[in-house]
Amino acid sequence: MARLLIRNASVVLPGDGFRSNSGEVRAANVLIDDGKILDVDASASASCDEVVEADGLHLLPGVVDDQVHFREPGLTQKEDLAMASHACAAGGVTTFLEMPNTKPPAITVEGVRAKECLAAAKSLVNYGFYIGATPDNVKELTEVTDVPGIKIFIGSSTGNLLVDEQAALERIFAETTLPICAHCEDETTVRANAERIGQTSDLADHSRIRDERAAMIATERATELARRHQHRFHVLHVSTAAELKFLRDPSPYLTAEVCPHHLLFNVDDYERLGSRVQMNPSIKTAADNAGLWQALADDVIQVIATDHAPHTLEEKNQPYPQSPSGLPAVENSLALMLDQAHAGRITLPQIAHWMSDAPARVWGITGKGRIAAGYDADLVLVDASQRRTIRDQDQHTKSRWSPWDGETLTGWPVRTWVGGRQVWSAETGFDEAARGTKPHFDHTRGGYWSTANGIGV
């Protein structure tokens, strides 16, 4: 592999791993050799095979998106691993962790291995796959080790992936060792709300059915299990400010994340965007938006991930409630946050922390998430001043639409490297021969709260 020098970039470097805004941005030359970062303070004349002149551009660690639904196998009319990985590369996402609710669901070791084989043959970027919990597959959950973790659907799923009986949850938390994450919406509350509201075609009722109380009950239940069993647990897609009460008390067992749609959309957007912003958990209020932004700033929430979950526009355009929940986001998530940095709301070190370093540490992904010597050269070069408008027809995701269609953002990726190999650039497009790899998941390092100086290599 060629030795690469990225010269004169404004490099986003990590700081104290528990304070999202403690990193720094400074001019540096980054030398890459054999897929690894060799030096972050290399000489401008260092021996190399290729030089990338990066004056006026920022170099960030590649995004680690720890919550995506890429639909393969079984639902490839919506998305597939090849096209989704193209969307990742163009969006600066160099590693994705995919959820188990495919057809068939990944609820066995064999099922996870089958998905890994598909990704090895198709994906431009790195990949990992959660194993899904059911009420009766604890034995499978104890036998697998080299995966990011266990996913539980405490609400909002179908078939045997729905786990909302207390006895089953107790067994999973008590008898397994992998970190756990969960979709937290109380199914009993959701069903009761739906029965009370009755037959409806009003999309705004989606947020009344999947309301704040449903999220709070499930999040309280799951975090209580984690604390009592002393089991590492990650709260996926926090959607309400009210849930934060269960996260503000520091715990070595708890981390949490938020998604761009819960930061940037609220119930006022149903009239404008319709089912494009229909999600589970549902979007909430402007006050919840503000509370979630503050929780990020206060380091109560550690991770930003997308919950990329596309459907075809034909499916989404069905009348509610036939319209399915979910939206595509991987190729725009970094640009959305860069735009917020341009507006002065957040900083580039915070973006690198929330979208790269923190998720790598939560899931024990060694060598990922930081620009530091010895780490993998998973990198994204961004032009923080570039203005571009999101258009449905320009999307690389198979669904070919975005809820942010028509929005102009400032700050965009221009090149992406995975393991030191350029997989995409705005000028030349994709390297179709490139393939990502499965990272190493080392859960013995203790996760986010045990790795303040990075996950290491």
Side-chain angles (χ1 to χ4, degrees):
M1 186 175 291
R3 177 178 280 211
L4 171 69
L5 180 66
I6 303 175
R7 190 158 59 194
N8 296 324
S10 294
V11 181
V12 182
L13 297 168
D16 173 356
F18 298 145
R19 294 185 299 122
S20 60
N21 202 27
S22 63
E24 64 171 326
V25 181
R26 62 177 172 83
N29 306 307
V30 176
L31 185 62
I32 297 162
D33 188 45
D34 196 25
K36 304 284 186 181
I37 298 171
L38 187 64
D39 192 352
V40 295
D41 288 299
S43 165
S45 58
S47 174
C48 62
D49 302 300
E50 180 186 357
V51 175
V52 172
E53 296 292 355
D55 294 275
L57 303 175
H58 287 81
L59 189 68
L60 281 77
V63 172
V64 178
D65 192 335
D66 77 0
Q67 187 185 183
V68 303
H69 301 264
F70 284 171
R71 307 301 193 192
E72 189 171 356
L75 296 165
T76 52
Q77 77 276 13
K78 305 172 188 282
E79 184 70 280
D80 61 47
L81 288 164
M83 296 190 76
S85 74
H86 282 66
C88 285
V93 177
T94 54
T95 301
F96 66 79
L97 306 182
E98 208 257 358
M99 290 298 167
N101 55 331
T102 45
K103 292 186 177 182
I107 56 176
T108 64
V109 177
E110 181 182 8
V112 173
R113 297 291 174 257
K115 291 173 75 170
E116 290 171 350
C117 288
L118 287 170
K122 298 181 178 185
S123 180
L124 299 186
V125 302
N126 304 318
Y127 50 84
F129 297 92
Y130 297 93
I131 187 168
T134 76
D136 53 11
N137 75 334
V138 169
K139 185 174 184 295
E140 290 280 349
L141 303 181
T142 62
E143 290 179 352
V144 64
T145 56
D146 55 340
V147 299
I150 297 166
K151 168 67 181 290
I152 306 177
F153 290 87
I154 309 177
S156 188
S157 194
T158 57
N160 62 352
L161 275 175
L162 176 62
V163 185
D164 62 352
E165 293 297 328
Q166 188 67 23
L169 290 169
E170 293 281 358
R171 282 196 68 200
I172 293 166
F173 274 86
E175 298 179 26
T176 67
T177 58
L178 288 173
I180 295 172
C181 60
H183 180 121
C184 292
E185 286 184 294
D186 182 64
E187 191 71 11
T188 300
T189 301
V190 169
R191 291 174 180 172
N193 287 341
E195 185 175 349
R196 174 176 51 81
I197 290 171
Q199 188 172 355
T200 178
S201 60
D202 184 357
L203 259 169
D205 281 333
H206 189 69
S207 291
R208 301 181 184 107
I209 293 169
R210 296 185 174 277
D211 64 359
E212 175 187 277
R213 186 166 175 270
M216 282 190 67
I217 289 172
T219 299
E220 180 178 24
R221 184 185 189 188
T223 54
E224 188 277 331
L225 281 162
R227 292 177 192 272
R228 178 158 47 84
H229 288 285
Q230 299 184 359
H231 197 127
R232 281 170 47 205
F233 178 69
H234 185 67
V235 185
L236 298 171
H237 44 45
V238 177
S239 64
T240 76
E243 290 168 270
L244 301 172
K245 67 185 289 187
F246 308 119
L247 301 170
R248 287 195 179 277
D249 181 19
S251 167
Y253 307 110
L254 296 178
T255 50
E257 75 184 36
V258 67
C259 300
H261 47 269
H262 289 129
L263 292 167
L264 300 171
F265 294 132
N266 59 62
V267 292
D268 296 335
D269 292 306
Y270 279 126
E271 184 175 359
R272 178 173 62 95
L273 295 170
S275 61
R276 287 193 177 214
V277 291
Q278 179 188 334
M279 283 296 304
N280 298 339
S282 66
I283 55 176
K284 301 301 194 297
T285 68
D288 289 302
N289 296 150
L292 295 172
W293 278 115
Q294 190 60 52
L296 279 168
D298 293 342
D299 297 318
V300 174
I301 291 176
Q302 291 76 32
V303 172
I304 292 176
T306 63
D307 194 12
H308 175 95
H311 303 275
T312 68
L313 270 180
E314 181 181 9
E315 291 168 325
K316 289 293 279 185
N317 287 337
Q318 295 178 92
Y320 183 79
Q322 284 74 41
S323 52
S325 294
L327 55 81
V330 290
E331 63 196 282
N332 299 313
S333 60
L334 178 56
L336 288 163
M337 294 304 111
L338 292 171
D339 187 65
Q340 293 295 314
H342 175 76
R345 181 175 227 163
I346 59 178
T347 68
L348 294 179
Q350 285 178 315
I351 293 172
H353 175 88
W354 296 326
M355 302 186 78
S356 303
D357 181 50
R361 291 159 52 200
V362 167
W363 302 110
I365 312 174
T366 59
K368 307 292 186 189
R370 291 188 167 206
I371 298 179
Y375 276 66
D376 297 337
D378 297 344
L379 303 166
V380 55
L381 196 63
V382 306
D383 184 342
S385 62
Q386 182 181 123
R387 286 174 57 81
R388 195 194 313 166
T389 301
I390 298 172
R391 301 290 185 195
D392 283 351
Q393 61 268 28
D394 298 331
Q395 302 302 290
H396 297 287
T397 176
K398 192 170 188 177
S399 61
R400 295 297 296 273
W401 65 273
S402 169
W404 290 280
D405 174 59
E407 291 197 26
T408 299
L409 308 179
T410 302
W412 284 90
V414 295
R415 290 196 194 208
T416 304
W417 292 270
V418 174
R421 179 169 180 167
Q422 182 178 290
V423 296
W424 171 84
S425 83
E427 291 185 359
T428 62
F430 299 97
D431 179 352
E432 298 292 354
R435 291 294 179 268
T437 60
K438 175 184 170 180
H440 177 55
F441 301 99
D442 187 351
H443 299 302
T444 67
R445 304 199 187 190
Y448 180 84
W449 296 109
S450 299
T451 53
N453 294 319
I455 188 64
V457 297

